[in-house]
Amino acid sequence: MRSLWRTTEPTLLRDVALICLADALVGAAFGATAVAGGLSWWVPVAMSLLVFAGGSQIAAVGVVLAGGSPLAAVAAGAVLNTRLLPYGLAVADVVGPTNVDGPAGVDGPAGSPGGHWWTRLVGAHVVTDESVAFALRQADPARRRAAFWTCGVALFAAWNVAVVLGVLAGSVIKNTNAFGLDATFPAVLIALAVPALADLRTRTAAGTGAAIAVALTPVLPAGLPVLAALGGLATAWRPGRAWRPGRLRTAPRRDNTVLASSPASTPAPSQTDEPIGERRCR
């Protein structure tokens, strides 16, 4: 664990603190909205501790407050949470075994993330959009691990504290949308996604996915447009060209001639007595 904190940079702590502040506003709005809508105080608190997925929690509570059944609420949250499956695959090296500086036969160094089964369980619980985004922005494995765990643990604490404060304020704040807190969560996701839009293919895929989600939002239940947006990845796919043995490749030369690079195109010395330079001049 000491090695984890040694690889944590001040800039990372600053960025994580800003993300926690923004998500804390959403958590407070979620707790206040749930209680103001008529739910018991323990419902948003328990969801935050056991589910810890802001988008899914908001979707599930929204279904219940709109008159939907608990089963429909669970389904809406589960559908929205399916995006965490590829997230988990993307950070498997961070959550899973490390085997860095650990003794032989041990899954990882004692006290380090990924060294025991319970750290994998905790790591899977704190897989969020933000923690994965921070991890994937790091190239070094140690920095990836530090970014993931720092963001995940800090965000878990900030979110749950904010939800409790929102529950306490739920009797005062009747309309959270009037404060614009409902726009905080998508704004945070956009801020995290913008640095990843570095090339044209990525921007095209992201734009196509966003257009699909916006177009399907009026006709599909909550959560499904997000999954349908994955169709934008099709615009980034490029079919690979299989290399065929014996295929001739040409390259320009200074004398404006084009010579084949295949060994078969160059006669063996035993086939003729003329020097290669004289044949080229002809």
Side-chain angles (χ1 to χ4, degrees):
M1 185 62 69
R2 290 192 299 269
S3 62
L4 173 64
W5 295 114
R6 283 198 299 267
T7 55
T8 303
E9 300 178 350
T11 56
L12 173 63
L13 297 178
R14 179 200 61 194
D15 295 341
V16 169
L18 293 175
I19 291 298
C20 290
L21 176 61
D23 281 12
L25 296 177
V26 184
F30 166 73
T33 302
V35 174
L39 295 179
S40 301
W41 66 269
W42 60 267
V43 174
V45 173
M47 290 181 65
S48 298
L49 289 173
L50 301 177
V51 179
F52 185 52
S56 297
Q57 293 177 226
I58 294 173
V61 169
V63 171
V64 173
L65 295 182
S69 65
L71 182 60
V74 172
V79 169
L80 191 58
N81 255 7
T82 54
R83 74 188 190 283
L84 299 180
L85 177 60
Y87 288 177
L89 297 177
V91 294
D93 60 324
V94 175
V95 180
T98 57
N99 248 345
V100 178
D101 297 330
V106 180
D107 210 15
S112 66
H116 304 282
W117 66 268
W118 58 268
T119 55
R120 300 189 201 120
L121 183 62
V122 174
H125 192 58
V126 298
V127 169
T128 62
D129 303 272
E130 295 86 352
S131 62
V132 172
F134 271 102
L136 295 183
R137 290 177 61 181
Q138 308 296 326
D140 182 72
R143 296 182 185 275
R144 280 165 54 92
R145 189 172 299 109
F148 173 81
W149 285 98
T150 301
C151 181
V153 173
L155 193 59
F156 180 83
W159 176 264
N160 282 276
V161 171
V163 169
V164 173
L165 295 178
V167 168
L168 297 177
S171 58
V172 177
I173 303 176
K174 299 297 183 181
N175 184 13
T176 57
N177 293 341
F179 294 88
L181 297 181
D182 57 320
T184 305
F185 190 64
V188 171
L189 295 183
I190 292 175
L192 290 173
V194 166
L197 306 178
D199 57 272
L200 180 60
R201 290 176 61 181
T202 304
R203 291 193 294 269
T204 302
T208 304
I212 293 174
V214 171
L216 296 180
T217 296
V219 297
L220 291 181
L224 291 183
V226 177
L227 296 179
L230 295 176
L233 295 176
T235 61
W237 179 74
R238 295 291 185 273
R241 295 182 178 180
W243 180 77
R244 291 177 295 176
R247 183 178 179 180
L248 298 182
R249 295 176 297 173
T250 59
R253 300 299 294 268
R254 292 181 180 179
D255 56 359
N256 295 328
T257 62
V258 178
L259 299 179
S261 61
S262 172
S265 63
T266 304
S270 59
Q271 294 177 355
T272 176
D273 294 330
E274 288 185 342
I276 297 177
E278 294 181 9
R279 294 202 308 274
R280 185 178 299 171
C281 294
R282 295 179 183 179

